[in-house]
C-alpha cells in the first residue's frame, strides 16, 4: 500500500510538473499578479522560477525590465514593459510588440527591492549562460566570477548539461566547483568540490578557500561541544596575559581590569575615620593591602566592579582560550586546509620556475651585452669603457629606423643588421684612431675610452635630447606567455633569449669554421706565435674590436625593446657586462655564458630575498663576486694559452 501511494504521489508530481512547465509566460504572470505587484524575497522565488520554466524567449526581457523598474501593471491586470514618454508611459506587451501608451496614473510601476532584484539577477544568469552566442556565455561567466552569489549556483549547474563548447564547458565546471565550495548547504558536496580542484593554484581558488580557514580568537569557561577549534592557546606562548584577559572582558566573562589610577581615586574617596574598607590607611603600603581594601569596598557596593591583579590571575586560570574556525564543519576545514597545503606546495614550485625564467631572461640580456666585451677583452686585453655607449648607439639606431619604417616588424628586421653595421664601423674607427696608439698601456686605454664614453653620452643628448625615446616592439611581441597565475614571461624576453642563442651559434660557427675565427683564436692564445705564422695581428685586433662593438649594437636594439632608450642606457649594463666577463673567464665564450648565468640568477635570487631594495641586492652581488674572484681569479672557465701565463 505504501509503495502504491509513493508511486501515485510521484505520478501526480510529474503530471503537475508537466502542466506547470507547459504554462505560457502570460499565464504565469496573470496567475501570480498579486505576488509580482507586491513581491518579497521569501515568496517571489517560485514565481521567478515559473517564469524561467516557461522557456519563452521573452522571459529574459520581462525579467530584465522588472529588475530595472521597467515593468508596469495596468488597472485591468495586464502587464507591460514600460518606458517614459513625456507625461505618459510607452507600452510594449510581453511578446515584444508595441501596445500604444498610457497615462502614468493608469500604470503601476513595479519597483522590486534589492533582495528581489538579486533573485531576478540569478534567474537572468540562466538565460545568459545558455545564450547561443559564445561571447555572451563567457561574459556571463566573467560576471559571476567577479561577484559570485548563492543564487547563481542552480543556474550554472543547469547550464552545464547543454554546453557544447569544450573550453566554455571547462570554465563552467570550474566555476561551479568554486560556487559549490562557497555556497552549497551540503558539506559532502563542498568537500567533493574542494577535492575536485586537484593541483589547481588559481588565485580565485585561494580566495575561496581562505575564508573557510578564517578563525576568531575566543575565550571559554568550558569549551562548547562541537566547536571547530583550530588551535588551543597557551598564555605566555601563543597569547599574552593582557590579550587573554581582554578576550574575557569582551566576552563578558570577567570585569574590566582595575587600573592603578582608578584604584587610587576610589580608595581616597572612601577614606572614613582613617580607614578604607576596614583597613587602616597606614597599612595600605602594599599592593595586596590596597587590593583587599578595594575588594571590601566592591563587596559593599561602594565602588564599581573591577578586577584586581589577583582576580585577573584567577580568571585567567579558570578559562581556556583558542582560535576557532568560523566554519563550524571540521571536515570542510580539514579539506580546505589540505587543499591549501597542495596549493602552497605547487605554488612554491611555480615560484621557483618563475624565478628560474626571470634569471634565464636576465642572463640572456647580460650575455648579449657582454659577449662583445668578452671578445675585445680576450683578444686585445683592452678595457673598453665605451662599450655601453655602443649598446646605446644600437638602441638609438632602432629608434631612428622606426621613424622612417612605420611597420614595427620590418623596422626590427632592418634595425638589427643596420645597428651591427653602424656600431661595427664605430668600433673600427675607435680602434684605428685611439686604441691602436695605446697598445700595451691598459691604464691609458681605460682612461681614454672612459673619456670617449662621456663624450658619446653628451653627443647622444645633443642629438636626441634627454627624454627617453620609444623603441616599440612589434605587435606579435606584445603580452606574455602565461602558464598560470604565477608563471609568466614576456614575449620580448623570449625573443632576446632566442637572439642570444642565435649569436652564440653564429659566434661558435665563426670561431670554429672560418679563417677569421682561426686567426682570432691564434692571436688570443699567443699573439707572438700568430704573428710569426703570418697573421696580421693589427688587422685581427681591428676586426675583433669592430665585431665586439657590432654585437653590442645588436644588444642595444634588443634591450631597447623593453628598456627606456636614453643616453645613459649603456651605463646601466656596463658594470654587469664587466662582471660577467671577469667571473666567466676572460676571452672564453663559454665562460661568458656561464658568467651571465651566474650573475643573472644571483641577482634575481638576491632580489627575491630583498625585493624592496634593489641597490642592496646589487651591493650583495658585487661582494659575492669579489669573494668569488678571490677563490677563482681566472673565472669559471679559464682561458688556456696566453691567459695561463699572465
Amino acid at each position: 500500500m505504501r509503495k502504491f501511494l509513493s508511486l501515485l504521489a510521484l505520478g501526480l508530481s510529474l503530471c503537475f510538473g508537466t502542466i506547470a512547465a507547459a504554462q505560457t509566460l502570460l499565464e504565469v504572470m496573470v496567475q501570480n499578479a498579486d505576488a509580482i505587484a507586491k513581491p518579497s524575497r521569501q515568496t517571489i522565488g517560485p514565481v521567478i522560477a515559473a517564469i524561467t520554466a516557461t522557456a519563452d524567449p521573452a522571459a529574459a526581457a520581462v525579467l530584465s525590465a522588472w529588475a530595472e523598474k521597467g515593468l508596469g501593471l495596468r488597472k485591468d491586470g495586464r502587464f507591460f514593459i514600460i518606458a517614459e514618454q513625456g507625461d505618459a508611459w510607452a507600452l510594449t506587451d510581453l511578446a515584444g510588440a508595441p501596445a500604444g501608451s498610457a497615462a502614468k496614473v493608469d500604470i503601476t510601476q513595479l519597483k522590486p527591492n534589492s533582495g528581489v532584484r538579486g533573485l531576478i539577477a540569478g534567474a537572468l544568469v540562466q538565460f545568459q549562460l545558455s545564450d547561443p552566442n559564445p561571447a555572451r556565455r563567457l561574459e556571463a561567466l566573467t560576471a559571476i566570477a567577479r561577484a559570485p552569489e548563492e543564487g547563481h549556483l542552480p543556474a550554472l549547474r543547469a547550464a552545464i548539461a547543454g554546453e557544447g563548447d569544450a573550453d566554455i564547458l571547462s570554465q563552467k565546471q570550474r566555476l561551479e566547483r568554486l560556487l559549490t565550495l562557497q555556497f552549497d548547504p551540503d558539506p559532502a558536496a563542498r568537500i567533493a568540490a574542494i577535492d575536485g580542484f586537484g593541483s589547481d593554484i588559481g588565485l580565485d581558488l585561494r580566495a575561496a578557500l581562505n575564508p573557510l580557514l578564517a578563525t576568531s580568537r575566543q575565550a571559554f569557561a568550558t569549551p562548547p561541544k562541537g566547536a571547530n577549534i583550530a588551535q588551543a592557546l597557551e598564555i605566555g606562548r601563543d597569547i599574552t596575559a593582557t590579550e587573554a584577559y581582554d578576550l574575557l572582558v569582551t566576552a563578558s566573562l570577567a570585569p574590566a581590569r582595575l587600573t592603578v589610577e582608578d584604584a587610587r581615586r576610589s580608595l581616597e574617596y572612601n577614606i572614613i575615620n582613617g580607614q578604607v574598607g576596614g583597613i587602616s590607611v597606614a597599612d595600605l603600603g602594599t599592593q595586596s593591602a590596597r587590593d583587599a581594601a578595594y575588594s571590601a569596598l566592591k563587596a559593599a557596593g561602594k565602588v564599581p566592579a573591577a578586577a584586581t591583579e589577583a582576580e585577573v590571575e584567577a580568571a585567567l586560570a579558570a578559562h581556556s582560550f583558542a582560535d576557532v574556525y568560523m566554519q563550524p564543519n571540521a571536515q570542510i576545514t580539514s579539506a580546505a586546509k589540505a587543499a591549501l597545503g597542495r596549493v602552497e606546495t605547487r605554488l612554491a614550485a611555480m615560484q621557483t620556475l618563475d624565478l628560474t625564467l626571470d634569471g634565464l631572461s636576465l642572463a640572456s640580456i647580460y650575455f648579449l651585452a657582454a659577449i662583445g666585451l668578452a671578445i675585445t677583452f680576450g683578444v686585445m686585453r683592452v678595457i673598453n669603457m665605451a662599450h655601453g655607449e655602443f649598446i646605446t648607439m644600437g638602441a638609438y639606431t632602432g629608434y631612428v629606423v622606426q621613424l622612417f619604417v612605420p611597420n614595427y616588424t620590418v623596422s626590427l628586421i632592418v634595425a638589427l643588421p643596420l645597428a651591427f653595421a653602424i656600431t661595427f664601423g664605430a668600433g673600427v674607427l675607435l680602434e684605428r684612431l685611439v686604441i691602436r696608439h695605446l697598445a700595451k698601456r691598459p691604464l691609458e686605454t681605460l682612461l681614454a675610452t672612459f673619456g670617449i664614453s662621456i663624450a658619446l653620452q653628451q653627443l647622444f643628448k645633443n642629438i636626441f635630447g634627454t627624454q627617453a625615446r620609444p623603441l616599440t616592439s612589434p605587435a606579435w611581441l606584445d603580452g606574455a606567455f602565461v602558464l598560470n597565475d604565477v608563471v609568466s614571461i614576456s614575449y620580448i624576453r623570449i625573443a632576446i633569449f632566442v637572439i642570444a642563442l642565435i649569436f652564440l651559434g653564429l659566434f661558435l660557427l665563426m670561431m670554429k669554421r672560418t679563417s677569421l675565427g682561426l686567426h682570432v683564436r691564434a692571436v688570443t692564445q699567443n699573439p707572438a706565435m700568430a704573428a710569426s705564422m703570418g697573421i696580421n695581428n693589427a688587422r685581427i685586433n681591428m676586426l675583433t674590436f669592430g665585431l665586439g662593438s657590432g654585437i653590442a649594437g645588436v644588444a642595444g636594439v634588443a634591450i631597447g625593446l623593453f628598456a627606456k632608450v636614453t643616453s645613459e642606457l649603456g651605463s646601466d649594463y656596463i658594470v654587469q657586462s664587466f662582471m660577467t666577463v671577469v667571473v666567466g673567464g676572460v676571452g672564453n665564450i663559454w665562460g661568458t655564458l656561464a658568467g651571465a648565468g651566474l650573475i643573472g640568477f644571483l641577482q634575481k635570487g638576491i632580489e627575491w630575498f630583498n625585493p624592496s631594495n634593489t641597490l642592496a641586492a646589487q651591493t650583495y652581488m658585487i661582494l659575492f663576486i669579489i669573494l668569488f674572484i678571490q677563490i677563482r681569479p681566472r673565472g669559471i672557465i679559464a682561458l688556456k694559452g696566453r691567459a695561463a701565463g699572465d
Side-chain angles (χ1 to χ4, degrees):
M1 184 64 181
R2 182 177 298 174
K3 185 176 181 181
F4 171 75
L5 291 174
S6 299
L7 291 173
L8 179 61
L10 178 61
L12 289 172
S13 65
L14 290 174
C15 179
F16 284 115
T18 305
I19 293 172
Q23 282 186 306
T24 65
L25 175 62
L26 180 59
E27 290 171 343
V28 172
M29 298 286 287
V30 170
Q31 289 178 9
N32 298 280
D34 292 339
I36 294 173
K38 296 180 179 180
S40 69
R41 185 178 177 88
Q42 289 73 27
T43 61
I44 202 62
V47 177
I48 295 175
I51 293 173
T52 305
T54 62
D56 192 311
V62 170
L63 289 172
S64 180
W66 187 12
E68 297 171 3
K69 303 177 184 178
L71 188 66
L73 178 63
R74 202 164 64 180
K75 290 182 178 180
D76 60 0
R78 292 187 61 188
F79 287 96
F80 295 93
I81 297 174
I82 59 176
E84 283 196 76
Q85 189 180 58
D87 295 333
W89 293 111
L91 306 181
T92 303
D93 65 21
L94 299 186
S101 61
K104 289 190 174 181
V105 295
D106 295 330
I107 300 291
T108 300
Q109 184 185 15
L110 304 184
K111 300 178 180 180
N113 59 34
S114 60
V116 175
R117 288 199 302 273
L119 293 176
I120 295 173
L124 281 171
V125 165
Q126 179 174 340
F127 293 100
Q128 296 165 348
L129 289 172
S130 303
D131 194 284
N133 187 347
R136 291 289 304 276
R137 301 201 297 275
L138 286 173
E139 289 175 5
L141 289 174
T142 302
I144 294 173
R146 189 180 298 116
E149 297 178 3
E150 185 177 356
H152 293 149
L153 188 53
L156 186 58
R157 286 172 174 169
I160 288 176
E163 181 57 61
D165 188 299
D167 290 337
I168 298 179
L169 176 62
S170 176
Q171 293 186 46
K172 283 184 176 180
Q173 291 172 334
R174 187 177 186 280
L175 188 56
E176 186 271 336
R177 289 197 298 272
L178 277 174
L179 267 62
T180 297
L181 74 87
Q182 295 178 79
F183 302 116
D184 198 297
D186 182 9
R190 300 178 75 177
I191 293 170
I194 292 171
D195 293 338
F197 279 99
S199 58
D200 194 317
I201 60 171
L203 184 61
D204 52 354
L205 173 60
R206 284 175 272 160
L209 288 174
N210 281 321
L212 298 180
L213 297 177
T215 60
S216 63
R217 189 154 285 187
Q218 299 180 20
F220 309 99
T222 55
K225 291 184 178 180
N228 190 5
I229 296 177
Q231 179 187 7
L233 303 176
E234 181 179 329
I235 297 175
R237 185 190 66 183
D238 305 310
I239 186 173
T240 65
T242 301
E243 292 172 338
Y245 195 78
D246 288 342
L247 287 177
L248 293 177
V249 174
T250 302
S252 300
L253 295 174
R257 186 189 294 267
L258 177 64
T259 65
V260 174
E261 184 63 26
D262 289 342
R264 184 182 63 80
R265 283 198 299 264
S266 297
L267 294 177
E268 289 177 351
Y269 184 78
N270 288 278
I271 296 175
I272 301 174
N273 297 326
Q275 291 187 334
V276 181
I279 299 175
S280 173
V281 173
D283 295 331
L284 295 179
T286 63
Q287 185 62 44
S288 59
R290 291 191 291 270
D291 287 347
Y294 191 90
S295 298
L297 293 174
K298 182 169 61 175
K302 295 181 179 181
V303 292
T308 63
E309 288 302 319
E311 291 171 333
V312 167
E313 293 178 5
L316 291 176
H319 293 83
S320 58
F321 306 88
D323 286 331
V324 181
Y325 286 118
M326 299 178 71
Q327 166 56 242
N329 192 300
Q331 292 180 322
I332 292 177
T333 53
S334 296
K337 190 174 182 179
L340 273 178
R342 294 192 299 269
V343 168
E344 289 172 359
T345 300
R346 185 168 173 79
L347 195 61
M350 291 298 102
Q351 287 174 338
T352 302
L353 177 59
D354 187 59
L355 188 63
T356 301
L357 290 176
D358 283 346
L360 191 63
S361 169
L362 190 61
S364 63
I365 294 170
Y366 287 162
F367 176 72
L368 265 182
I371 183 173
L373 191 64
I375 297 170
T376 304
F377 196 31
V379 174
M380 303 174 63
R381 282 294 191 268
V382 171
I383 301 176
N384 180 19
M385 295 300 295
H387 184 78
E389 278 52 56
F390 289 124
I391 294 175
T392 306
M393 193 180 299
Y396 274 125
T397 300
Y399 162 69
V400 172
V401 169
Q402 288 192 344
L403 295 179
F404 297 95
V405 183
N407 186 299
Y408 294 141
T409 300
V410 176
S411 67
L412 183 61
I413 295 173
V414 173
L416 287 171
L418 185 60
F420 179 86
I422 291 174
T423 50
F424 178 89
V428 169
L429 188 64
L430 178 61
E431 196 277 337
R432 284 279 187 177
L433 297 178
V434 180
I435 305 298
R436 177 169 297 188
H437 302 290
L438 299 175
K440 297 183 179 180
R441 287 183 282 178
L443 180 59
E444 294 180 21
T445 304
L446 185 149
L447 292 174
T449 54
F450 182 69
I452 292 170
S453 167
I454 296 174
L456 287 175
Q457 285 189 30
Q458 187 59 49
L459 180 63
F460 295 147
K461 289 178 182 178
N462 293 340
I463 297 174
F464 300 103
T466 57
Q467 293 185 344
R469 299 296 177 179
L471 181 53
T472 309
S473 62
W476 50 272
L477 285 180
D478 291 341
F481 173 75
V482 180
L483 183 62
N484 49 45
D485 289 343
V486 179
V487 181
S488 65
I489 183 170
S490 67
Y491 290 124
I492 291 178
R493 300 229 174 202
I494 295 175
I496 292 175
F497 177 74
V498 172
I499 291 174
L501 289 180
I502 291 173
F503 266 89
L504 175 62
L506 291 176
F507 180 82
L508 292 174
L509 182 65
M510 183 199 75
M511 296 296 286
K512 300 292 185 182
R513 301 293 182 181
T514 66
S515 59
L516 175 61
L518 177 64
H519 293 169
V520 168
R521 282 185 289 145
V523 173
T524 300
Q525 294 180 15
N526 195 322
M529 183 63 72
S532 67
M533 298 297 294
I535 297 175
N536 188 338
N537 287 4
R539 179 175 176 274
I540 294 300
N541 287 341
M542 180 191 69
L543 293 177
T544 301
F545 200 90
L547 179 63
S549 302
I551 295 176
V554 173
V557 176
I559 293 171
L561 291 175
F562 69 90
K564 293 180 180 179
V565 181
T566 65
S567 58
E568 289 83 16
L569 173 65
S571 60
D572 294 337
Y573 291 90
I574 186 66
V575 175
Q576 286 88 343
S577 298
F578 274 112
M579 288 193 298
T580 297
V581 173
V582 172
V583 169
V586 176
N588 191 305
I589 188 64
W590 295 112
T592 304
L593 184 63
L598 178 62
I599 299 296
F601 282 101
L602 180 63
Q603 181 171 332
K604 283 299 178 181
I606 295 174
E607 287 178 1
W608 184 79
F609 283 107
N610 191 12
S612 61
N613 194 337
T614 55
L615 181 61
Q618 292 181 358
T619 303
Y620 295 144
M621 182 176 65
I622 292 173
L623 291 174
F624 173 83
I625 290 171
I626 292 173
L627 294 175
F628 179 84
I629 292 174
Q630 299 303 312
I631 300 172
R632 291 189 65 88
R634 291 178 181 162
I636 299 174
I637 303 177
L639 181 67
K640 296 179 180 180
R642 183 177 71 176
D646 289 347

